[in-house]
Amino acid sequence: MLKHCLKTTFRYFLSHKIFSFINIIGLATGICVCFFALFYVQFELGRDSYNQKADNIYRLVTDIKTSTGINYESTSTPMGPAIKAAYPGVKDMARVFMDDMILQSNPNNATKEEVAYADSSVFKIFSWPLLRGKIGRMFEAPCNVVLSETAAKKYFGNSDPIGQAMMINGQTKAVVTGIMKDIPYNSHLRVDIIFSITTLVDDEWSRNWTRFGFLTPSVLLNPLASIHTAR
């Protein structure tokens, strides 16, 4: 029976080549679109799911009332430390500031990169495994920088990048103090190069409540705390 059906189908295809070709192409295209849509939905639903502490991580946003309504802004520099100091339910906080700069480890590999300035506590909040370096010592000084595996390979090849120098915008020297695994693609924050926050923030900026720019500040609550009791 099955053999007869296959013969009949094959004969039909041969006698209606153009019509059969159009139908097969349409069916194949529809199946491919469905698969890609499924993969995309799974990718989006799994965003940030790699973070082991995802249920206790919250982003800070400032609501600023103006004459035209409410603007949802980033946070100012002192907000993260102030919240951590004021609320026992907040276990840790990390400030992150995104920027663009030209980096190079030699005269021939200067590249414009998207980078982040961050507190070292960002590695305690997010599940970004360190391959080299210690959290408490990586960002001891301004211009200390942590590279992803991809960035380390790009700028230093097979040599050991720890302790090596990089130039920022052809003027400022940075020192590599850590290597981390590449951040997964389904992360809301994905960057290959992270500088110590003191590279950017001076004492005056750290006390300025009206200067915004930290686009992805995060706080980590204690496991037994809730967002309602922490605030």
Side-chain angles (χ1 to χ4, degrees), residues 37-58:
L38 177 62
F39 292 148
Y40 178 77
V41 170
Q42 287 180 329
F43 179 85
E44 289 297 320
L45 291 177
R47 187 172 293 276
D48 289 332
S49 60
Y50 69 92
N51 281 316
Q52 298 175 1
K53 303 172 183 177
D55 292 340
N56 292 321
I57 299 174
Y58 292 86

Side-chain angles (χ1 to χ4, degrees), residues 120-204:
S120 61
S121 53
V122 75
F123 294 100
K124 298 179 182 179
I125 294 177
F126 298 111
S127 300
W128 299 343
L130 287 169
L131 302 177
R132 301 283 302 279
K134 295 182 180 180
I135 293 177
R137 301 185 62 183
M138 289 187 310
F139 290 161
E140 288 182 324
C143 296
N144 286 167
V145 60
V146 173
L147 305 178
S148 69
E149 288 181 286
T150 296
K153 184 73 173 179
K154 175 181 177 180
Y155 286 102
F156 296 98
N158 295 323
S159 62
D160 184 3
I162 299 297
Q164 297 292 329
M166 301 184 73
M167 293 301 295
I168 304 173
N169 296 329
Q171 298 176 343
T172 307
K173 180 180 176 181
V175 178
V176 180
T177 56
I179 305 296
M180 66 180 182
K181 285 190 175 181
D182 290 356
I183 299 174
Y185 281 98
N186 62 339
S187 173
H188 82 280
L189 174 61
R190 191 174 190 278
V191 67
D192 288 314
I193 301 169
I194 304 177
F195 284 89
S196 55
I197 202 167
T198 53
T199 308
L200 175 72
V201 177
D202 55 21
D203 291 338
E204 180 182 356

